[in-house]
Amino acid sequence: MTTHATAHHDDHHDDKPHGFLHRWVYSTNHKDIGTLYLIFAFIMVCVGAAFSGVIRTELMKPGLQFVQPYFFNEMTTMHGLVMIFGAIMPSFVGLANWMIPMMIGAPDMALPRMNNWSFWILPFAFFLLLSTLFIPGGAPAGGWTMYPPLSIQGGDSVALMVFSIHLMGISSIMGAINIIATILNMRAPGMDLLKMPVFVWSWLITAFLLIAVMPVLAGAVTMLLTDRYFGTSFFNAAGGGDPVMYQHIFWFFGHPEVYIMILPAFGIISEIVPTFSRKPLFGYQAMVYALASIAFLSFIVWGHHMFTVGMPLGGELYFMYATMLIAIPTGVKVFNWVSTMWGGSMTFEAPMLWAIAFIVLFTIGGFSGVMLALVPADFQYQDTYFVVAHFHYVLVTGALFAIIGAIYYWWPKWTGRMYNETWAKVHFWWSAVFVNVLFFPQHFLGLAGMPRRIPDYNVAFADWNLVSTIGAYGMYLTPFMFFFILWHSKKHGAPAAARAWEGAHGLEWTVPSPAPFHTFSTPPVIHDEDLAHGDVSH
Amino acid sequence: MVDDTAAGNSIQRNKRLLTRALAVCGAMFLFGFACVPLYRIACEHVFRNKIYNTADSAKGFRVDESRWVTVQFVGNVNSQLDWSFAPEQVTMRVHPGAVNDAWYDAANKAQTAIVGNAVPSIAPSQGSPYFNKIECFCFTEQVLKPGESRRMPVKFVVDPKLPKTIDTLTLSYTFYNNRPATKKLAEQTQATQPPNS
Ligand code: HEM
Ligand SMILES: [Cu+2]
């Protein structure tokens, strides 16, 4: 079928389209789109980090030194929106694009044209959002949670923010539908659902979460828009509405959203740990069921973000117990990773280091989450830096560390080159130290009562804030390190074997490195040892 | 070719999945809006917490003369509303079951007519279901012309079933500018009064 194509390209083994426009803008190739997503996410990490630089610099000392309070609030809001919707989520979608077809033996994503759309909407969405920094009235400043009435006061950034969130929602919904269609319809013969790699499972479940809750967020921000511009009173007390209702709707989206940002990370860790422990994943089925039950529970615990709004006592107790229930399937996962390592012949290449750091530090975030789930304690912690510490442990040392580990892990497959292990270890240890210097003291600040989202604070909080800012400055070097390690590898790295890691199993390691432009055009014959999880008897 | 039908099948299946998934998305988008009535039903019927103003009757309570309850009155004005607003009495001692009258005063300090709405709240919240307002200025919109002031009544009964642990209730109101109504009022007055120059 490709005879005419090969006839025209005299020397190429791949029939890649030529020219920037055709190769990238019109791309329907899952690998190229995956690359686009990852590059976009990297740029957004840098933008979001710059915003946090303003925040941490202002907070280095008590008093107002560098920025006005309103601008400070714009920075906290934009930092949250950019990191969540621009950095973490697109990175995971990029990894899904690259890896899912290769892991299940499919030639491409199920709906390649839609795949192109779901990526190319994103730059426009973020252009709208970031442009608010330059309009009269400034960027949104009411927090990433956009609680009314505060979020709909201020300038016309409200409208731009709402439209950009609509676009991001459309993009992630299309991406999610594509992933579901790929996994359900495109698996190679013999790749039963319960033989799929856990990364694929985690994305299947995440994609269902996405199509269930992104439309709810779209509805909530639409109501904000009509309240602001068209005289409705969904959340306006004067017109008979209720601002607390917004919080219910938002967190009905918001809590599943935080799991959207962690389930694919669970999947990644479940790939990396067995490889470098040279053992199959412990309790494969338990891992899959744990993912599913976390996803289910995530729909019924949203109230733990609202303990202080004045809920009936029964509601508080219900949300407290339901939230604590999530710790059980989460614990199952942590113990299974540890059991996978137990007695394995472990080595500590960079992906494994990031994965182990994930397990330890994410668990710290899980513990602070359980503390926050205790109603009487949460009245004290709500809206303090303790919450900030909690969600940065789960999102930075959780989601982001897993993403970095995944990039190191699959990089040889993508580029056909190894990275420099020494520098990767420097990158890791540098990050592991400074991320804790940055976020651990925020636990102390929160317990001592420092509120979040404030530009100035009591001198009593000065010391730990300075420590935290030093940690932040350390972290700002890491994107540069990462960039140069990958750049150097791309240019000068040693060639990678098809099975780049000795203990790696799974279909992606049966194709050459770098993976050719088209893989599995004919479905592969699956051998037992190609399955990622060894035990195929179940 | 065999391959073609296989490919055709998978395109069919992808299309079916796409329509179903989009239907789920549409349904969830509508669910977001369905939360608005669902929320009201949950508040009023499940948690007995009134978020919309409705008049309650005295329900034929028997006056419990053996018991005194202190009712405190608070009045706040939202920063967007240029009114003054305060209770005439700070506290009252009442018997559960008896009908009582309290008064609030409001005055418009702005140069234009403004429509305001007051939103009531009872503390402690456990006492809220037992505080019945028979008549209240918060049931309706209040229109004040520039400089106009008004005495406004609240008629209330404390339910004798009020838990024994509660001996003080605080009734507080926040007055908000009802912007859509204020705007409509301004447009109407402009339409009816021809410009006088
Ligand atoms: C055992 C698991 C977890 C529990 C019990 C838990 C519990 C909580 C609770 C109770 C709060 C509300 C605190 C407050 O505002 O007073 C909270 C906030 C938060 N959690 Fe978790 N959490 C868990 C895991 C996660 C994970 C895995 C993520 C994300 C990957 C996450 C992200 C967040 C975020 C972003 C917030 C703050 C939202 C905001 O107010 O801006 N949590 N968590
Ligand atoms: Cu939550």
Side-chain angles (χ1 to χ4, degrees), chain A residues 251 254-259 298 301-305 323 326 390:
Chain A
W251 288 114
H255 190 80
E257 166 69 15
V258 306
Y259 281 96
S298 73
V301 298
W302 76 91
H304 64 220
H305 296 273
T323 303
I326 298 192
H390 159 67

Side-chain angles (χ1 to χ4, degrees), chain B residues 6-189:
Chain B
N9 273 342
S10 113
I11 289 174
Q12 278 293 310
R13 278 188 306 177
N14 288 343
K15 285 222 170 105
R16 199 168 345 123
L17 199 142
L18 179 66
T19 31
R20 283 189 195 161
L22 287 177
V24 172
C25 290
M28 290 309 288
F29 184 72
L30 293 180
F31 171 77
F33 288 87
C35 285
V36 177
L38 286 176
Y39 179 71
R40 183 173 60 203
I41 293 167
C43 289
E44 291 185 357
H45 297 283
V46 184
F47 301 113
R48 307 228 295 132
N49 207 336
K50 295 264 182 301
I51 58 166
Y52 295 83
N53 304 324
T54 44
D56 264 317
S57 70
K59 293 182 193 151
F61 290 139
R62 299 246 325 267
V63 181
D64 180 357
E65 297 205 320
S66 65
R67 189 170 168 203
W68 286 104
V69 175
T70 307
V71 181
Q72 303 174 323
F73 300 90
V74 178
N76 295 305
V77 189
N78 178 267
S79 63
Q80 307 288 310
L81 179 65
D82 195 8
W83 285 10
S84 65
F85 170 64
E88 285 183 5
Q89 62 294 304
V90 178
T91 60
M92 268 169 86
R93 272 161 59 81
V94 302
H95 288 305
V99 178
N100 312 280
D101 288 301
W103 292 89
Y104 276 74
D105 297 315
N108 185 356
K109 300 190 286 181
Q111 303 298 317
T112 51
I114 296 180
V115 185
N117 278 67
V119 175
S121 141
I122 303 284
S125 58
Q126 296 93 307
S128 178
Y130 306 96
F131 190 90
N132 296 293
K133 293 183 287 302
I134 302 169
E135 195 185 306
C136 174
F137 56 90
C138 60
F139 294 163
T140 52
E141 293 176 347
Q142 301 293 330
V143 190
L144 289 184
K145 295 198 195 68
E148 188 185 321
S149 63
R150 181 174 304 151
R151 273 189 98 205
M152 301 179 303
V154 194
K155 223 184 233 321
F156 65 91
V157 189
V158 176
D159 189 328
K161 288 202 286 294
L162 179 75
K164 292 279 179 281
T165 48
I166 301 177
D167 56 12
T168 308
L169 290 169
T170 308
L171 169 63
S172 78
Y173 288 99
T174 306
F175 241 112
Y176 291 92
N177 188 338
N178 187 340
R179 283 181 187 283
T182 304
K183 219 171 118 202
K184 210 177 280 168
L185 184 74
E187 283 161 8
Q188 276 168 5
T189 41

Side-chain angles (χ1 to χ4, degrees), chain A residues 406-428:
Chain A
I407 293 174
Y408 276 123
Y409 182 58
W410 282 309
W411 178 262
K413 178 55 60 194
W414 300 340
T415 61
R417 289 179 185 274
M418 301 304 286
Y419 54 83
N420 181 316
E421 194 63 52
T422 314
W423 279 106
K425 288 208 165 92
V426 172
H427 174 206
F428 168 77

Side-chain angles (χ1 to χ4, degrees), chain A residues 147 247 304-309 372 377-387 450-452:
Chain A
Y147 284 4
Q247 300 189 19
H304 64 220
H305 296 273
M306 311 171 50
F307 284 145
T308 58
V309 300
L372 290 166
D378 185 68
F379 269 67
Q380 185 77 20
Y381 307 151
Q382 156 79 188
D383 268 337
T384 69
Y385 257 83
F386 193 79
V387 178
M450 176 170 162
R452 64 190 281 204

